[in-house]
Amino acid sequence: MKNIKKLVLLMAILILALAACSSPEVAEPPAEEEPETKTYEDMVLCYPQLGAESDWRTANSASIKQEAENYGIKQLIFSDAQQKQENQISAVRSCIAQGVDVIALPPVVEDGWDAVLTEAKDAGIPVIIVDRSVSADSSLYDVHLGSDMFLEGQRAAEEMNRLLPDGGNIVELFGTVGSGAAEGRADGFRDKLNDNITILDSQTGNFTRAEAIPVTEAFLKKYEGQIDGMFIHNDDMAIGAIEALKNAGIQPGDIKIVSVDGTRGGFQAMIDGWIQADVECNPLLGPQVIEIALKLMNGEAVEPEILTNETVYYPEEAADLIDSRQY
Ligand code: GYE
């Protein structure tokens, strides 16, 4: 009797075990296709730089290159268009052909981007407009990241108003004609300049030291003894202008200078008494460019316009700050 019980028990166990083995696998539901989250290591970023015209630009290029390394992106495709829009357009086209993940474009001028931006859009490549603005419709790019150039111009005018409280005559050294930086600064400056200050003349120095020298020499010749102030669209042109002023025997402070950028060269010129106010424009955009690029690669929402917070620097603080300047 005992043995029969044991046998039944054994058989029951056997049957259960067999049933367990042979039971058909419950079909797993097909795995949902999780969209793969991209990382910095996946990123091929195109940066068709507009040129190497100034210390600001050098710092901007260095920031992009350094941060591409720091963030460990797969590849940075960097080029230098030597301030020529046609070179920049070819560089963008070459990046589209290579199928980059994101294009970050610092446009040399505002107009003339519609065609190539449309090509990038049709290829499904997101575009960040960096630094200067474009006039193209905002549906043709994803983000604009840079400075508020109009505000910089307004700040420059407020400084000029302060420096020439009784009014006077000034000349303007204009940046690249048609560039968002120069046009914005010029408009903002005129918006806030006091009525008792007259802009005698405005000529371009194309944001470079070399071109600012002859332009300043021509101003000094044409308006001898009449110039009380200069609004200069960047520190490199200010340094060129100062060279021309020195050669003409003008002393620091005789002509009040308001400049833009806040480069180390600008700080030195403040210490030496030549520049009376330097409106900050920050070129260190590398980290933001790369972080925004990753968001765009992952289809995340990004603010359409991201403006940098900036200030104005003065001669009194220049000596204390110059060593901490990164550009
Ligand atoms: O101020 C100038 C450079 O676009 C903000 O370009 C930039 C300007 C900068 O050449 O130095």
Side-chain angles (χ1 to χ4, degrees):
M1 195 57 191
K2 237 185 179 178
N3 280 345
I4 291 177
K5 261 192 184 168
K6 260 192 189 162
L7 203 70
V8 169
L9 198 71
L10 256 172
M11 280 178 72
I13 291 171
L14 208 70
I15 287 165
L16 272 174
L18 273 173
C21 286
S22 64
S23 76
E25 288 247 317
V26 185
E28 292 244 327
E32 283 254 326
E33 274 285 310
E34 275 270 329
E36 198 192 318
T37 307
K38 300 275 175 50
T39 68
Y40 291 115
E41 288 98 77
D42 299 316
M43 185 187 294
V44 178
L45 175 67
C46 172
Y47 201 78
Q49 181 59 286
L50 69 87
E53 75 285 0
S54 64
D55 287 349
W56 189 101
R57 191 64 50 200
T58 306
N60 179 253
S61 297
S63 171
I64 297 290
K65 290 178 184 171
Q66 186 58 55
E67 299 303 341
E69 242 183 85
N70 292 351
Y71 281 75
I73 76 166
K74 187 169 170 190
Q75 196 189 352
L76 172 69
I77 301 178
F78 183 95
S79 49
D80 173 355
Q82 301 183 318
Q83 287 185 289
K84 292 198 180 74
Q85 186 177 28
E86 59 269 31
N87 293 349
Q88 256 194 316
I89 291 175
S90 323
V92 174
R93 290 214 163 105
S94 148
C95 284
I96 295 171
Q98 291 174 74
V100 300
D101 294 305
V102 179
I103 296 171
L105 168 70
V108 62
V109 289
E110 286 182 290
D111 295 343
W113 295 103
D114 294 58
V116 78
L117 288 178
T118 305
E119 289 165 36
K121 192 170 186 180
D122 290 347
I125 300 174
V127 173
I128 308 170
I129 301 293
V130 185
D131 158 30
R132 304 177 184 176
S133 47
V134 290
S135 59
D137 192 83
S138 60
S139 63
L140 291 179
Y141 56 90
D142 296 84
V143 190
H144 173 223
L145 162 73
S147 300
D148 186 337
M149 310 295 180
F150 188 84
L151 179 63
E152 289 176 354
Q154 288 181 317
R155 286 180 172 156
E158 279 160 4
E159 297 306 325
M160 194 59 88
N161 294 341
R162 176 182 63 79
L163 292 161
L164 299 176
D166 304 321
N169 295 318
I170 64 168
V171 290
E172 178 179 39
L173 251 173
F174 204 94
T176 300
V177 176
S179 70
E183 302 295 339
R185 287 170 191 170
D187 290 347
F189 188 74
R190 282 156 181 78
D191 181 59
K192 278 272 185 297
L193 193 68
N194 283 346
D195 288 344
N196 59 4
I197 300 177
T198 305
I199 304 174
L200 292 174
D201 209 336
S202 171
Q203 299 292 331
T204 181
N206 207 16
F207 282 127
T208 69
R209 290 180 199 201
E211 286 175 70
I213 298 171
V215 177
T216 307
E217 286 168 352
F219 281 153
L220 293 175
K221 215 165 148 198
K222 196 165 171 196
Y223 305 103
E224 204 185 332
Q226 297 175 59
I227 303 172
D228 303 304
M230 290 182 86
F231 171 38
I232 307 185
H233 285 197
N234 79 338
D235 286 343
D236 287 79
M237 292 196 296
I239 290 164
I242 290 164
E243 202 174 310
L245 299 183
K246 275 185 193 161
N247 291 342
I250 289 164
Q251 295 303 307
D254 284 356
I255 291 178
K256 306 286 182 237
I257 297 179
V258 178
S259 181
V260 188
D261 275 355
T263 62
R264 220 176 277 131
F267 270 64
Q268 190 57 54
M270 283 200 279
I271 294 170
D272 298 340
W274 287 101
I275 295 180
Q276 277 69 43
D278 205 351
V279 178
E280 182 191 16
C281 183
N282 191 337
L284 307 177
L285 300 172
Q288 277 168 293
V289 167
I290 292 167
E291 284 169 22
I292 292 168
L294 186 66
K295 285 191 178 156
L296 294 174
M297 280 168 71
N298 283 318
E300 284 174 41
V302 180
E303 286 285 315
E305 171 123 83
I306 302 171
L307 297 175
T308 313
N309 250 333
E310 291 163 341
T311 182
V312 181
Y313 296 111
Y314 299 99
E316 301 77 51
E317 59 190 347
D320 286 340
L321 292 179
I322 191 163
D323 289 336
S324 63
R325 299 301 295 161
Q326 291 180 63
Y327 51 94

